[in-house]
Each structure stands twice: as structure tokens, then as C-alpha cells.
Coordinates of all heavy atoms in Angstrom, one line a residue:
M98 N 0.9 -1.2 0.0 CA 0.0 0.0 -0.1 C 0.9 1.3 0.0 O 2.2 1.2 -0.2 CB -0.8 -0.1 1.3 CG -2.2 0.7 1.3 SD -3.6 0.3 0.6 CE -4.2 0.0 -0.7
F99 N 0.2 2.4 0.1 CA 1.1 3.6 0.2 C 1.6 3.9 1.5 O 1.0 3.5 2.6 CB 0.1 4.8 -0.2 CG -0.4 4.6 -1.6 CD1 -1.7 4.3 -1.8 CD2 0.4 4.8 -2.7 CE1 -2.3 4.2 -3.1 CE2 -0.1 4.7 -4.0 CZ -1.4 4.4 -4.2
E100 N 2.8 4.4 1.6 CA 3.3 4.9 2.9 C 3.6 6.4 3.0 O 4.2 6.9 2.2 CB 4.7 4.2 3.0 CG 5.4 4.3 4.3 CD 6.6 3.6 4.5 OE1 6.7 2.4 3.8 OE2 7.5 3.9 5.3
Y101 N 2.9 7.0 4.0 CA 3.0 8.3 4.3 C 3.8 8.7 5.4 O 3.7 8.0 6.5 CB 1.5 9.0 4.3 CG 0.7 8.9 3.1 CD1 -0.3 8.0 3.1 CD2 1.1 9.6 1.9 CE1 -1.1 8.0 1.9 CE2 0.3 9.5 0.7 CZ -0.7 8.6 0.7 OH -1.5 8.6 -0.5
H102 N 4.6 9.7 5.5 CA 5.3 10.2 6.6 C 4.8 11.5 7.1 O 4.9 12.5 6.4 CB 7.0 10.1 6.2 CG 7.5 8.8 5.7 ND1 7.7 7.9 6.8 CD2 7.8 8.4 4.6 CE1 8.1 6.8 6.0 NE2 8.2 7.1 4.8
I103 N 4.3 11.5 8.3 CA 3.9 12.7 8.9 C 4.6 12.7 10.3 O 4.5 11.8 11.0 CB 2.4 12.7 9.0 CG1 1.8 12.8 7.6 CG2 1.9 14.0 9.7 CD1 0.2 12.7 7.7
D104 N 5.1 13.9 10.6 CA 5.7 13.9 11.9 C 4.8 14.3 13.1 O 3.6 14.3 12.8 CB 6.9 15.0 11.9 CG 6.4 16.4 11.6 OD1 5.2 16.8 12.0 OD2 7.1 17.2 11.1
F105 N 5.2 14.3 14.2 CA 4.4 14.4 15.4 C 3.7 15.8 15.4 O 2.4 15.8 15.8 CB 5.0 14.1 16.8 CG 5.6 12.7 16.9 CD1 6.9 12.4 16.9 CD2 4.6 11.7 17.0 CE1 7.4 11.1 17.1 CE2 5.1 10.4 17.1 CZ 6.5 10.1 17.2
H106 N 4.3 16.8 15.0 CA 3.8 18.1 15.0 C 2.7 18.1 13.8 O 1.6 18.8 14.0 CB 4.8 19.2 14.8 CG 5.7 19.3 16.0 ND1 5.4 19.9 17.1 CD2 7.0 18.9 16.0 CE1 6.5 19.8 17.9 NE2 7.4 19.2 17.3
G107 N 3.0 17.5 12.7 CA 2.1 17.4 11.6 C 0.8 16.7 12.0 O -0.3 17.0 11.7
Q108 N 0.9 15.6 12.9 CA -0.2 14.9 13.3 C -1.1 15.7 14.2 O -2.4 15.7 14.1 CB 0.2 13.6 14.2 CG 0.8 12.5 13.3 CD 1.3 11.5 14.3 OE1 1.1 11.4 15.4 NE2 2.0 10.5 13.6
N109 N -0.6 16.6 15.0 CA -1.3 17.5 15.8 C -2.0 18.5 14.9 O -3.2 18.8 15.2 CB -0.5 18.2 16.9 CG -1.1 19.0 17.8 OD1 -2.4 18.8 18.0 ND2 -0.4 19.9 18.4
K110 N -1.2 19.1 14.0 CA -1.9 19.9 13.1 C -3.1 19.4 12.3 O -4.1 20.0 12.0 CB -0.8 20.6 12.1 CG -1.2 21.7 11.3 CD -0.1 22.2 10.4 CE 0.9 22.9 11.3 NZ 1.9 23.6 10.5
A111 N -2.8 18.2 11.8 CA -3.9 17.5 11.1 C -5.1 17.4 11.8 O -6.3 17.5 11.4 CB -3.4 16.1 10.5
E112 N -5.0 17.0 13.2 CA -6.0 16.7 14.0 C -6.8 18.1 14.3 O -8.1 18.1 14.2 CB -5.7 16.2 15.4 CG -6.7 16.0 16.4 CD -7.6 14.9 16.1 OE1 -7.5 14.1 15.2 OE2 -8.8 15.0 16.6
Q113 N -6.0 19.2 14.4 CA -6.7 20.5 14.6 C -7.4 20.9 13.4 O -8.6 21.5 13.5 CB -5.6 21.6 15.0 CG -5.1 21.3 16.3 CD -4.0 22.4 16.6 OE1 -3.4 23.0 15.8 NE2 -3.5 22.5 17.9
I114 N -6.9 20.7 12.1 CA -7.6 21.0 10.9 C -8.8 20.3 10.8 O -9.9 20.7 10.4 CB -6.6 20.8 9.7 CG1 -5.5 21.9 9.8 CG2 -7.3 20.8 8.5 CD1 -4.3 21.7 8.8
T115 N -8.7 19.0 11.1 CA -9.9 18.1 11.0 C -11.0 18.6 11.9 O -12.2 18.7 11.3 CB -9.5 16.6 11.4 OG1 -8.5 16.2 10.4 CG2 -10.7 15.7 11.3
Q116 N -10.6 18.8 13.1 CA -11.8 19.2 14.0 C -12.3 20.6 13.6 O -13.5 20.8 13.6 CB -11.2 19.4 15.4 CG -10.9 18.0 16.1 CD -10.4 18.1 17.5 OE1 -10.3 19.1 18.0 NE2 -10.1 16.9 18.0
G117 N -11.5 21.6 13.2 CA -12.0 22.8 12.9 C -12.9 22.8 11.6 O -13.8 23.4 11.5
V118 N -12.4 22.1 10.6 CA -13.1 22.2 9.2 C -14.3 21.5 9.4 O -15.5 21.9 8.9 CB -12.2 21.6 8.1 CG1 -13.0 21.4 6.9 CG2 -11.0 22.4 7.9
I119 N -14.4 20.2 9.9 CA -15.7 19.5 10.1 C -16.6 20.2 11.0 O -17.9 20.3 10.8 CB -15.4 18.1 10.6 CG1 -14.7 17.3 9.4 CG2 -16.6 17.4 11.0 CD1 -14.4 15.8 9.9
S120 N -16.1 20.9 12.1 CA -17.0 21.6 12.9 C -17.6 22.8 12.2 O -18.8 23.1 12.4 CB -16.3 22.2 14.2 OG -15.8 21.0 14.9
A121 N -16.7 23.5 11.5 CA -17.2 24.7 10.8 C -18.3 24.4 9.8 O -19.4 25.0 9.6 CB -16.1 25.5 10.1
F122 N -18.0 23.2 9.0 CA -18.9 22.8 7.9 C -20.2 22.3 8.7 O -21.3 22.4 8.1 CB -18.5 21.8 7.0 CG -17.7 22.3 5.9 CD1 -16.4 22.8 6.0 CD2 -18.3 22.5 4.5 CE1 -15.7 23.4 4.9 CE2 -17.6 23.0 3.6 CZ -16.4 23.5 3.6
G123 N -20.1 21.7 9.8 CA -21.3 21.2 10.5 C -22.3 22.4 11.0 O -23.3 22.3 10.9
V124 N -21.6 23.3 11.5 CA -22.4 24.5 12.1 C -23.0 25.2 10.7 O -24.2 25.6 10.7 CB -21.5 25.5 12.7 CG1 -22.2 26.9 12.9 CG2 -21.0 25.0 14.0
I125 N -22.3 25.4 9.7 CA -22.8 26.1 8.6 C -23.9 25.2 8.0 O -25.0 25.7 7.5 CB -21.7 26.3 7.5 CG1 -20.7 27.4 7.9 CG2 -22.3 26.8 6.1 CD1 -19.5 27.5 7.1
G126 N -23.7 23.9 7.9 CA -24.8 23.0 7.3 C -26.0 23.1 8.3 O -27.2 23.1 7.6
F127 N -25.9 23.0 9.5 CA -27.0 23.2 10.3 C -27.7 24.5 10.2 O -29.0 24.4 10.1 CB -26.5 23.0 11.8 CG -27.6 23.3 12.9 CD1 -28.6 22.2 13.0 CD2 -27.8 24.3 13.5 CE1 -29.6 22.3 13.9 CE2 -28.9 24.6 14.4 CZ -29.8 23.6 14.6
L128 N -27.1 25.6 10.1 CA -27.7 26.9 10.0 C -28.5 27.0 8.6 O -29.6 27.5 8.5 CB -26.7 28.0 10.1 CG -26.1 28.1 11.7 CD1 -25.0 29.2 11.6 CD2 -27.2 28.4 12.5
V129 N -27.8 26.5 7.6 CA -28.4 26.6 6.2 C -29.7 25.6 6.1 O -30.6 26.0 5.7 CB -27.4 26.3 5.2 CG1 -28.1 26.0 3.8 CG2 -26.4 27.3 5.0
G130 N -29.4 24.3 6.8 CA -30.6 23.5 6.8 C -31.8 24.1 7.7 O -32.9 23.9 7.3
L131 N -31.5 24.7 8.7 CA -32.5 25.3 9.5 C -33.2 26.4 8.9 O -34.5 26.5 8.9 CB -31.9 25.8 10.9 CG -32.8 26.3 11.9 CD1 -33.7 25.2 12.4 CD2 -32.1 26.9 13.1
T132 N -32.4 27.2 8.2 CA -33.0 28.4 7.6 C -33.8 28.0 6.4 O -35.0 28.5 6.3 CB -31.8 29.4 7.1 OG1 -31.1 29.7 8.2 CG2 -32.4 30.6 6.5
L133 N -33.4 27.1 5.6 CA -34.1 26.7 4.4 C -35.0 25.6 4.6 O -35.8 25.2 3.6 CB -33.1 26.4 3.2 CG -32.2 27.6 2.8 CD1 -31.2 27.1 1.7 CD2 -33.0 28.8 2.3
Q134 N -35.0 24.9 5.9 CA -35.8 23.8 6.2 C -35.5 22.6 5.1 O -36.4 22.0 4.6 CB -37.2 24.1 6.2 CG -37.6 25.0 7.3 CD -37.4 24.4 8.7 OE1 -38.1 23.4 8.9 NE2 -36.6 25.0 9.5
D135 N -34.3 22.4 5.0 CA -33.8 21.3 4.0 C -32.6 20.5 4.6 O -31.6 20.9 4.7 CB -33.4 22.0 2.7 CG -33.1 21.0 1.6 OD1 -33.2 19.8 1.8 OD2 -32.7 21.3 0.4
I136 N -33.1 19.3 5.0 CA -32.1 18.3 5.7 C -31.0 17.9 4.7 O -29.9 17.7 5.0 CB -32.8 17.3 6.5 CG1 -31.8 16.5 7.4 CG2 -33.5 16.4 5.5 CD1 -31.2 17.1 8.5
R137 N -31.5 17.7 3.4 CA -30.7 17.1 2.4 C -29.5 18.0 2.1 O -28.4 17.7 2.0 CB -31.5 16.9 1.1 CG -30.6 16.3 0.2 CD -31.4 15.9 -1.2 NE -32.2 14.8 -0.9 CZ -33.3 14.5 -1.6 NH1 -33.6 15.0 -2.8 NH2 -34.0 13.6 -1.3
L138 N -29.8 19.3 2.0 CA -28.7 20.4 1.8 C -27.7 20.4 3.0 O -26.6 20.6 2.8 CB -29.4 21.7 1.6 CG -28.5 22.9 1.2 CD1 -27.6 22.6 0.0 CD2 -29.3 24.2 1.1
S139 N -28.4 20.3 4.2 CA -27.5 20.3 5.3 C -26.4 19.2 5.3 O -25.4 19.3 5.6 CB -28.4 20.2 6.6 OG -27.7 20.1 7.8
M140 N -27.0 18.0 4.9 CA -26.1 16.9 4.8 C -25.0 17.0 3.7 O -23.9 16.5 3.8 CB -26.9 15.6 4.6 CG -27.8 15.0 5.8 SD -26.7 14.7 7.1 CE -27.2 16.0 8.3
Y141 N -25.5 17.6 2.6 CA -24.5 17.9 1.5 C -23.4 18.8 1.9 O -22.2 18.6 1.6 CB -25.2 18.4 0.3 CG -26.0 17.4 -0.6 CD1 -27.2 17.7 -1.2 CD2 -25.7 16.1 -0.6 CE1 -27.9 16.9 -1.9 CE2 -26.4 15.1 -1.3 CZ -27.6 15.5 -2.0 OH -28.3 14.6 -2.6
I142 N -23.7 19.8 2.7 CA -22.8 20.7 3.3 C -21.8 19.9 4.1 O -20.6 20.2 4.0 CB -23.4 22.0 3.9 CG1 -24.2 22.8 2.8 CG2 -22.4 22.8 4.6 CD1 -25.0 24.0 3.3
F143 N -22.3 19.2 5.0 CA -21.5 18.5 5.9 C -20.6 17.5 5.2 O -19.4 17.4 5.5 CB -22.4 17.8 6.8 CG -21.6 17.0 7.9 CD1 -20.8 17.7 9.0 CD2 -21.5 15.7 8.0 CE1 -20.1 17.0 9.9 CE2 -20.8 15.0 9.0 CZ -20.0 15.7 10.0
A144 N -21.1 16.8 4.1 CA -20.3 15.8 3.3 C -19.1 16.7 2.6 O -18.0 16.1 2.4 CB -21.2 15.1 2.4
A145 N -19.5 17.9 2.1 CA -18.5 18.7 1.5 C -17.4 18.9 2.5 O -16.2 19.0 2.1 CB -19.1 20.0 0.9
G146 N -17.7 19.3 3.7 CA -16.7 19.4 4.8 C -15.8 18.3 5.0 O -14.5 18.4 5.2
I147 N -16.4 16.9 4.9 CA -15.6 15.9 5.0 C -14.6 15.7 3.9 O -13.5 15.4 4.0 CB -16.5 14.7 5.2 CG1 -17.1 14.8 6.5 CG2 -15.6 13.3 5.2 CD1 -18.2 13.7 6.8
V148 N -15.1 15.9 2.7 CA -14.3 15.8 1.5 C -13.1 16.9 1.5 O -12.0 16.6 1.2 CB -15.1 16.0 0.2 CG1 -14.1 16.2 -1.1 CG2 -16.0 14.9 0.0
V149 N -13.4 18.2 1.9 CA -12.3 19.1 2.1 C -11.4 18.7 3.0 O -10.2 18.9 2.9 CB -13.1 20.5 2.5 CG1 -12.0 21.6 2.8 CG2 -13.8 21.1 1.2
T150 N -11.9 18.2 4.2 CA -10.9 17.7 5.3 C -10.0 16.5 4.7 O -8.8 16.6 5.0 CB -11.6 17.2 6.4 OG1 -12.5 18.3 6.9 CG2 -10.8 16.9 7.5
L151 N -10.6 15.6 4.0 CA -9.7 14.6 3.4 C -8.7 15.1 2.5 O -7.5 14.7 2.5 CB -10.7 13.6 2.6 CG -11.5 12.7 3.5 CD1 -12.4 11.9 2.6 CD2 -10.7 11.8 4.4
L152 N -9.1 16.1 1.7 CA -8.2 16.7 0.8 C -7.0 17.5 1.5 O -5.9 17.5 1.0 CB -8.7 17.6 -0.2 CG -9.7 16.9 -1.2 CD1 -10.4 18.0 -2.1 CD2 -8.9 16.0 -2.1
L153 N -7.3 17.9 2.7 CA -6.3 18.7 3.4 C -5.4 17.9 4.2 O -4.2 18.3 4.4 CB -7.1 19.7 4.3 CG -7.7 21.0 3.7 CD1 -8.5 21.7 4.8 CD2 -6.6 21.9 3.0
V154 N -5.7 16.8 4.7 CA -5.0 16.1 5.7 C -4.6 14.6 5.3 O -3.7 14.1 5.9 CB -5.6 16.0 7.1 CG1 -5.9 17.4 7.6 CG2 -6.9 15.3 7.1
V155 N -5.3 14.0 4.3 CA -5.0 12.6 4.0 C -3.7 12.5 3.2 O -2.8 11.7 3.6 CB -6.1 11.9 3.4 CG1 -5.8 10.6 2.8 CG2 -7.3 11.8 4.3
P156 N -3.5 13.2 2.2 CA -2.1 13.1 1.6 C -1.0 13.6 2.4 O -1.4 14.5 3.3 CB -2.3 13.9 0.3 CG -3.6 14.2 0.0 CD -4.3 14.0 1.4
A157 N 0.1 13.1 2.3 CA 1.2 13.6 3.1 C 1.8 14.9 2.5 O 2.8 14.9 1.9 CB 2.3 12.5 3.2
W158 N 1.0 16.0 2.7 CA 1.5 17.3 2.3 C 2.8 17.7 2.9 O 3.0 17.3 4.1 CB 0.4 18.4 2.4 CG -0.9 18.1 1.7 CD1 -2.0 17.7 2.2 CD2 -1.0 18.1 0.3 NE1 -2.9 17.4 1.4 CE2 -2.4 17.8 0.1 CE3 -0.3 18.4 -0.7 CZ2 -3.0 17.7 -1.2 CZ3 -0.8 18.4 -2.1 CH2 -2.1 18.0 -2.2
P159 N 3.7 18.5 2.4 CA 4.9 18.9 3.0 C 4.7 19.8 4.3 O 5.6 19.7 5.2 CB 5.5 19.8 2.0 CG 5.1 19.3 0.6 CD 3.7 18.8 1.0
Y160 N 3.6 20.3 4.4 CA 3.4 21.1 5.7 C 3.1 20.3 6.8 O 3.3 20.7 8.0 CB 2.2 22.1 5.5 CG 0.9 21.5 5.5 CD1 0.2 21.5 6.7 CD2 0.2 21.1 4.4 CE1 -1.1 21.0 6.8 CE2 -1.1 20.6 4.4 CZ -1.7 20.7 5.5 OH -3.0 20.0 5.6
L161 N 2.9 18.9 6.6 CA 2.6 18.0 7.8 C 4.0 17.3 8.1 O 3.9 16.5 9.0 CB 1.6 17.0 7.3 CG 0.2 17.6 7.1 CD1 -0.7 16.4 6.6 CD2 -0.4 18.2 8.4
N162 N 5.0 17.5 7.5 CA 6.3 17.0 7.8 C 7.5 17.9 7.8 O 8.5 17.7 7.2 CB 6.7 15.8 6.8 CG 7.6 14.9 7.2 OD1 7.9 14.9 8.3 ND2 8.3 14.1 6.3
K163 N 7.2 19.0 8.5 CA 8.3 20.1 8.6 C 9.3 19.8 9.8 O 10.5 20.3 9.7 CB 7.7 21.4 8.8 CG 6.9 22.0 7.7 CD 6.5 23.4 8.1 CE 5.7 24.1 6.8 NZ 5.3 25.3 7.1
N164 N 8.9 18.9 10.7 CA 9.8 18.5 11.7 C 10.0 17.0 11.8 O 9.6 16.3 12.8 CB 9.2 19.0 13.1 CG 9.0 20.5 13.1 OD1 9.8 21.1 12.8 ND2 7.7 20.8 13.3
P165 N 10.8 16.3 10.9 CA 10.9 14.9 10.8 C 11.7 14.3 12.0 O 12.6 15.2 12.5 CB 11.6 14.6 9.6 CG 12.3 16.0 9.2 CD 11.5 17.0 9.7
V166 N 11.4 13.3 12.5 CA 12.0 12.7 13.6 C 13.3 12.1 13.3 O 13.3 11.3 12.1 CB 11.1 11.6 14.2 CG1 11.7 10.9 15.4 CG2 9.8 12.3 14.7
Q167 N 14.5 12.4 13.9 CA 15.7 11.7 13.7 C 16.0 10.5 14.5 O 16.1 10.7 15.8 CB 16.7 12.8 13.9 CG 16.7 14.0 13.1 CD 16.9 13.7 11.6 OE1 17.6 12.9 11.1 NE2 16.1 14.4 10.7
W168 N 15.7 9.4 14.0 CA 15.8 8.2 14.8 C 17.2 7.7 15.0 O 18.1 8.0 14.1 CB 15.0 7.0 14.2 CG 13.6 7.2 14.0 CD1 13.0 7.7 12.8 CD2 12.6 7.2 14.9 NE1 11.6 7.9 13.0 CE2 11.3 7.5 14.3 CE3 12.5 6.9 16.2 CZ2 10.1 7.5 14.9 CZ3 11.4 6.9 16.9 CH2 10.2 7.2 16.3
L169 N 17.5 7.0 16.1 CA 18.8 6.5 16.3 C 19.0 5.3 15.5 O 18.1 4.6 15.2 CB 18.9 6.2 18.0 CG 18.9 7.4 18.9 CD1 18.9 6.8 20.3 CD2 20.1 8.2 18.7
P170 N 20.3 5.0 15.3 CA 20.5 3.8 14.4 C 20.1 2.5 15.2 O 20.2 2.5 16.5 CB 22.0 3.8 14.1 CG 22.6 4.7 15.1 CD 21.5 5.7 15.4
S171 N 19.8 1.5 14.5 CA 19.5 0.2 15.2 C 20.7 -0.3 16.0 O 21.8 0.0 15.6 CB 18.9 -0.8 14.3 OG 20.0 -1.3 13.4
R172 N 20.6 -1.3 17.0 CA 21.6 -1.8 17.7 C 22.5 -2.6 16.8 O 23.8 -2.6 17.0 CB 21.1 -2.6 18.9 CG 20.5 -1.9 20.0 CD 20.0 -2.9 21.0 NE 19.4 -2.0 22.2 CZ 18.8 -2.6 23.1 NH1 18.8 -3.9 23.2 NH2 18.3 -1.7 24.0
E173 N 21.8 -3.3 15.8 CA 22.8 -4.2 15.0 C 23.6 -3.3 14.1 O 24.8 -3.6 14.0 CB 21.8 -5.1 14.1 CG 21.1 -6.1 14.8 CD 19.8 -5.7 15.4 OE1 19.4 -4.6 15.1 OE2 19.3 -6.3 16.3
K174 N 23.1 -2.2 13.6 CA 23.8 -1.3 12.8 C 25.0 -0.6 13.7 O 26.2 -0.5 13.1 CB 22.9 -0.4 12.2 CG 23.5 0.5 11.1 CD 22.5 1.4 10.4 CE 23.1 2.1 9.2 NZ 22.1 2.9 8.5
A175 N 24.7 -0.3 14.8 CA 25.7 0.4 15.7 C 26.8 -0.6 16.0 O 28.0 -0.3 16.0 CB 25.0 0.9 16.9
L176 N 26.4 -1.8 16.3 CA 27.5 -2.8 16.6 C 28.3 -3.2 15.4 O 29.5 -3.4 15.6 CB 26.7 -4.1 17.1 CG 26.1 -4.1 18.6 CD1 25.4 -5.2 18.9 CD2 27.2 -3.8 19.6
A177 N 27.8 -3.2 14.2 CA 28.4 -3.5 13.0 C 29.4 -2.4 12.7 O 30.5 -2.6 12.3 CB 27.6 -3.7 11.9
Q178 N 29.1 -1.2 12.9 CA 29.9 0.0 12.8 C 31.1 0.0 13.7 O 32.2 0.4 13.5 CB 29.1 1.3 12.9 CG 28.1 1.6 11.7 CD 27.4 2.9 11.8 OE1 27.5 3.5 12.9 NE2 26.7 3.3 10.8
E179 N 30.8 -0.3 15.0 CA 31.9 -0.3 16.1 C 32.8 -1.5 15.7 O 34.1 -1.3 15.9 CB 31.1 -0.5 17.5 CG 30.5 0.6 18.0 CD 29.8 0.4 19.3 OE1 30.2 -0.8 19.9 OE2 29.1 1.2 19.7
S180 N 32.4 -2.7 15.4 CA 33.2 -3.7 15.0 C 34.2 -3.4 13.8 O 35.3 -3.8 13.7 CB 32.5 -5.0 14.8 OG 31.7 -5.0 13.7
S181 N 33.5 -2.7 12.8 CA 34.4 -2.3 11.7 C 35.4 -1.4 12.1 O 36.6 -1.3 11.5 CB 33.6 -1.9 10.5 OG 32.9 -0.7 10.9
K182 N 35.0 -0.4 13.0 CA 36.1 0.7 13.5 C 37.2 -0.1 14.3 O 38.4 0.3 14.1 CB 35.3 1.6 14.2 CG 34.5 2.6 13.5 CD 33.9 3.6 14.5 CE 33.0 4.5 13.7 NZ 32.3 5.5 14.5
G183 N 36.8 -1.1 15.1 CA 37.8 -1.9 15.9 C 38.7 -2.5 15.1 O 39.9 -2.6 15.3
K184 N 38.3 -3.1 13.9 CA 39.1 -3.9 13.0 C 40.1 -3.0 12.4 O 41.3 -3.3 12.1 CB 38.3 -4.7 12.0 CG 37.6 -5.8 12.6 CD 36.9 -6.5 11.5 CE 35.9 -7.7 12.1 NZ 35.1 -8.3 11.1
G185 N 39.7 -1.8 12.1 CA 40.6 -0.8 11.3 C 41.6 -0.4 12.2 O 42.8 0.0 11.8
K186 N 41.4 -0.2 13.5 CA 42.5 0.4 14.5 C 43.5 -0.8 14.7 O 44.7 -0.5 15.0 CB 41.8 0.8 15.8 CG 40.9 1.9 15.9 CD 40.4 2.2 17.1 CE 39.5 3.5 17.0 NZ 38.9 3.8 18.3
S187 N 43.2 -2.1 14.8 CA 44.1 -3.0 15.0 C 45.1 -3.3 13.9 O 46.2 -3.8 14.1 CB 43.4 -4.4 15.5 OG 42.7 -4.8 14.4
D188 N 44.8 -3.0 12.7 CA 45.6 -3.2 11.6 C 46.7 -2.3 11.5 O 47.1 -1.3 11.7 CB 44.9 -3.1 10.3 CG 43.9 -4.3 10.2 OD1 44.1 -5.2 10.8 OD2 42.9 -4.1 9.4

């Protein structure tokens, strides 16, 4: 499948965007539906909010990966590097 990389700050930002956009579209949809007495229009507006949210946060946009995590090397890799350095010193 696809692999997306989003850092921890990007996850927080995506969560805030999701809550904000869906809440805003929900309120707008409710008010429009209440004013026009049309539940179908209200649901369409809310569905549009979900689509907009998906477009904003589901692809791994660069603004969601501005602070990538620098992981430590694995133990096996570190041991292999140490053993290769040790061999070079004894020669």
C-alpha cells in the first residue's frame, strides 16, 4: 500500500484542521438547513466538509512533515559500525 510520513507536530496540526473544518461545515450546514428547512442540503454541506478535510490532511503534504524525527540507528547497525572501526584500528 502507500506509505505516508507525517511527523508528530504534523499529526497535531492535522487533528486541529480536521476538528476545525468539520465543525465549521457542520455549523454552516446546520444553519443553512435550519434556515431553508432542507435536511438534504444540510447533509450535502457536511459531506463537502468531510471531502475538504480529506483533501487537506490525508495526503502527506509537505506542511505536515516540517519536523521529521531523527531516529537513532538500530543496535545491529551500531554494533556493526563499532566492530568495523575496531578492526581498522588493530591493523
Side-chain angles (χ1 to χ4, degrees):
M98 203 83 290
F99 297 107
E100 187 173 331
Y101 294 110
H102 297 286
I103 298 175
D104 61 33
F105 296 115
H106 296 284
Q108 289 176 2
N109 187 24
K110 188 179 292 188
E112 178 67 24
Q113 290 174 346
I114 290 170
T115 300
Q116 289 180 3
V118 171
I119 289 179
S120 297
F122 273 84
V124 169
I125 291 168
F127 175 76
L128 293 175
V129 169
L131 184 66
T132 304
L133 300 177
Q134 294 294 303
D135 188 0
I136 189 71
R137 182 179 292 167
L138 182 60
S139 180
M140 290 296 115
Y141 285 148
I142 292 172
F143 185 70
I147 292 173
V148 170
V149 168
T150 302
L151 288 173
L152 291 174
L153 288 174
V154 299
V155 169
W158 297 110
Y160 76 92
L161 296 174
N162 197 19
K163 287 185 178 180
N164 304 304
V166 177
Q167 299 299 323
W168 298 100
L169 294 174
S171 66
R172 289 183 181 172
E173 292 82 16
K174 193 173 183 179
L176 289 174
Q178 288 176 351
E179 286 178 15
S180 66
S181 66
K182 287 180 184 177
K184 288 180 184 177
K186 288 182 181 178
S187 63
D188 289 340

